[in-house]
Amino acid sequence: MENKKNVVLALRTHFWDEYIEYISQKLNGSTNICEFVIICDETKSKFSCGSYNKISHTEDISTLGIEYIPQFNLWYNGDYPLYVLMDTYKDADYFIMVENDVLINKNIDGLIEYVYENKIDVIFHDFQDTIEWAWEPTLTESFDITKKCLFPFLLLSKNVLKYLFNRKKEIINKYINNEIKHLPYCEGFIASCVNEIKDSIKISTLEKFFDIHHFTFENPYYILDPQANKLGSICHPVRGHDFAQKRDIKEIFKENSPLRKGLSLIDPNLFYKDLLKRVKNTGNLDSMIRFSDIAVHNRWTPKPEPINWALGAKAWTSSVSAWSMHSSVEAEGAAACDGNFNRDYAFHTSNELCPSITIELNRNIECRHIYIYNRLIFKERASKIKIETSDNNTDWDVVASYSEGIDFGGSDGLPLIITLDFKILKYIKISLLEKGTLHLVQIEVYSQ
């Protein structure tokens, strides 16, 4: 092409799917004057990227003259793909590297023309001091002044990239020779190097060329969300249908939140079960009730979810012990109603006569089922068990008692299930019929 510049525009990725292809199509379509390539990290496995020009590399770039240190991967050394590009395209004037979770929603040819006309050397975002930054200690041995930047989008001139390459070789050699104890983390390394030569180069920022309102490092947008594709903007991070996993679950209760808007564009079969699990794991009964209503209204599920009325309930154990998770009987008991099954046990009493846990629901309900999830090791300790219910915490009815013992499990799918005839209750007490220790994982209570 006659007006083609010597600029390499590279999408950096370590895998390929329909969403990366969508990002690639938009990025490739954003220019008529750059050489577009996919820079592929194939450390773990090789993959196809369709008809796009592909540059393959691994975390070992020792053939370029930088010693390989296995404990530092490409997440830590995010500058390495740039050196591969520079070695591949030796005549290029500029290199632009874009991460695989960035959407470019603007033709960037104007940016390229501006860079050439004004002899810009660097474009990046968030060029700042490193005060209280977690990675600052990795920089102080190598730089007098430490800086950081974000580089989901990064433009560098060849001269600056050569400087980075030589500094990285120098620092790697010092590390190998035990002259320094840390290798600089990439976001700090690039920014600190640029700072060293800032008086001899020209630096610009993303906001000069893009609307960066949706350019952050938290809470990804669904890749097809209109906000993520807003004309003139750069959006980061974007993800596929799993974007919801990284957004704050509280957003589910806000109708116009990016989470709700994104989910409206996705098949519920791709997200509903995970979303339901996350809401349950909040341990909040009111949240679970609200979520069930929202799910039915938005047709994520054809019918309301069964409500565990014990979720987030008050509870207390008869004692605490050296094996307890908490110091108070109230906190120890509450753990059995927080919805968390990812542990060996929620509470552990002392070795005593008839140890127990009592649960107080936040309202009287007509109870149909009580589910008791046992610890999977030492589960025989809970075999001689008694279950009582009350509507006033004074008058108790025994609804189940196993003086001969009963074998039951928990997260293996075999909890103890007590079936009642819609008995009105607010309190449930579970106790042993003998001396011992009581330790369970969760208790659930249903009116269905």
Side-chain angles (χ1 to χ4, degrees):
M1 194 172 292
E2 193 172 313
N3 63 343
K4 200 163 188 114
K5 304 293 186 183
N6 285 328
V7 181
V8 177
L9 173 62
L11 178 78
R12 177 188 174 194
T13 189
H14 59 284
F15 68 99
W16 193 262
D17 62 16
E18 61 184 308
Y19 301 116
I20 304 301
E21 184 169 9
Y22 176 75
I23 291 171
S24 301
Q25 288 173 351
K26 294 202 70 171
L27 188 57
N28 185 32
S30 72
T31 180
N32 292 311
I33 58 177
C34 297
E35 176 75 25
F36 179 68
V37 300
I38 310 292
I39 178 79
C40 300
D41 168 18
E42 297 188 318
T43 301
K44 294 184 177 180
S45 63
K46 293 186 178 297
F47 56 92
S48 171
C49 55
S51 60
Y52 294 110
N53 188 11
K54 170 184 171 182
I55 307 298
S56 176
H57 69 99
T58 69
E59 61 189 22
D60 179 2
I61 61 168
S62 55
T63 56
L64 303 183
I66 292 180
E67 289 293 324
Y68 176 48
I69 305 176
Q71 61 266 39
F72 294 98
N73 58 22
L74 282 167
W75 175 84
Y76 196 91
N77 291 316
D79 50 318
Y80 278 15
L82 290 164
Y83 310 141
V84 175
L85 289 170
M86 183 173 65
D87 182 68
T88 306
Y89 295 94
K90 294 180 172 60
D91 295 329
D93 300 319
Y94 290 95
F95 299 87
I96 302 174
M97 187 169 71
V98 180
E99 299 290 341
N100 68 358
D101 56 355
V102 176
L103 276 180
I104 301 294
N105 301 305
K106 179 179 181 179
N107 186 288
I108 65 169
D109 290 345
L111 177 153
I112 302 301
E113 298 288 356
Y114 181 89
V115 164
Y116 271 92
E117 289 172 8
N118 294 277
K119 296 181 170 55
I120 302 297
D121 290 283
V122 179
I123 298 176
F124 53 16
H125 184 61
D126 201 37
F127 186 41
Q128 295 182 2
D129 293 332
T130 58
I131 298 173
E132 297 183 353
W133 189 45
W135 297 105
E136 182 180 26
T138 71
L139 307 172
T140 52
E141 293 175 296
S142 300
F143 299 98
D144 294 331
I145 299 175
T146 60
K147 296 284 186 178
K148 68 181 179 72
C149 68
L150 306 181
F151 61 92
F153 179 102
L154 176 66
L155 177 144
L156 296 173
S157 68
K158 178 188 286 186
N159 289 336
V160 171
L161 187 49
K162 284 182 177 178
Y163 183 83
L164 263 62
F165 178 76
N166 290 327
R167 281 289 274 135
K168 180 54 70 79
K169 283 181 63 176
E170 172 192 332
I171 291 171
I172 288 281
N173 289 334
K174 286 184 177 180
Y175 181 83
I176 291 172
N177 293 325
N178 296 316
E179 296 176 42
I180 56 176
K181 295 181 180 179
H182 300 93
L183 279 186
Y185 176 59
C186 56
E187 289 179 359
F189 169 75
I190 292 174
S192 298
C193 282
V194 168
N195 186 68
E196 286 182 329
I197 57 175
K198 67 179 185 300
D199 293 334
S200 61
I201 63 174
K202 289 187 177 182
I203 303 171
S204 194
T205 57
L206 276 187
E207 52 263 44
K208 183 174 181 63
F209 307 99
F210 297 100
D211 172 359
I212 62 168
H213 183 70
H214 298 302
F215 192 85
T216 69
F217 256 73
E218 297 177 349
N219 289 323
Y221 288 83
Y222 178 51
I223 195 170
L224 298 181
D225 187 328
Q227 288 295 316
N229 292 268
K230 184 180 178 183
L231 187 63
S233 73
I234 179 171
C235 185
H236 173 270
V238 295
R239 295 182 64 140
H241 63 263
D242 63 344
F243 88 105
Q245 297 173 6
K246 297 295 184 179
R247 291 204 73 96
D248 188 340
I249 193 61
K250 292 178 183 177
E251 285 187 44
I252 201 65
F253 305 113
K254 299 177 182 178
E255 186 172 357
N256 294 317
S257 67
L259 177 56
R260 288 280 291 275
K261 288 182 177 179
L263 292 177
S264 70
L265 304 170
I266 305 174
D267 181 348
N269 291 320
L270 297 176
F271 67 79
Y272 179 67
K273 287 184 179 179
D274 178 73
L275 208 62
L276 173 63
K277 181 179 179 181
R278 289 181 64 196
V279 176
K280 284 183 177 179
N281 286 345
T282 66
N284 187 295
L285 176 61
D286 289 338
S287 293
M288 187 60 217
I289 294 172
R290 290 174 62 196
F291 174 75
S292 183
D293 291 340
I294 291 169
V296 171
H297 178 75
N298 286 277
R299 300 188 178 182
W300 299 338
T301 181
K303 56 186 177 181
E305 290 295 334
I307 299 298
N308 167 25
W309 295 103
L311 191 65
K314 294 180 182 178
W316 54 92
T317 56
S318 56
S319 62
V320 293
S321 69
W323 296 276
S324 295
M325 301 294 185
H326 308 87
S327 58
S328 71
V329 295
E330 292 83 6
E332 192 75 350
C337 301
D338 64 5
N340 182 3
F341 288 85
N342 297 320
R343 56 192 171 199
D344 185 15
Y345 57 86
F347 69 90
H348 196 303
T349 70
S350 62
N351 189 355
E352 60 185 337
L353 182 63
C354 302
S356 66
I357 180 172
T358 304
I359 299 162
E360 179 185 355
L361 306 182
N362 70 351
R363 68 192 74 179
N364 282 40
I365 69 163
E366 294 182 340
C367 182
R368 181 60 173 166
H369 295 108
I370 300 171
Y371 282 65
I372 303 172
Y373 293 84
N374 201 358
R375 185 182 182 185
L376 294 185
I377 59 172
F378 305 119
K379 64 179 184 177
E380 68 280 358
R381 292 178 180 176
S383 64
K384 294 183 178 180
I385 198 171
K386 178 174 68 172
I387 298 92
E388 302 170 84
T389 68
S390 172
D391 61 2
N392 58 16
N393 200 25
T394 300
D395 303 308
W396 292 90
D397 295 325
V398 176
V399 295
S401 182
Y402 303 94
S403 57
E404 300 300 319
I406 184 170
D407 181 26
F408 68 100
S411 58
D412 57 356
L414 299 171
L416 176 59
I417 304 174
I418 309 300
T419 300
L420 304 178
D421 189 18
F422 299 104
K423 182 178 177 59
I424 295 176
L425 59 84
K426 186 176 182 181
Y427 298 88
I428 299 166
K429 181 186 289 184
I430 301 167
S431 56
L432 294 187
L433 293 165
E434 60 185 1
K435 183 177 181 180
T437 58
L438 182 63
H439 40 61
L440 301 170
V441 177
Q442 284 291 294
I443 296 101
E444 296 181 331
V445 180
Y446 293 96
S447 57
Q448 289 93 333

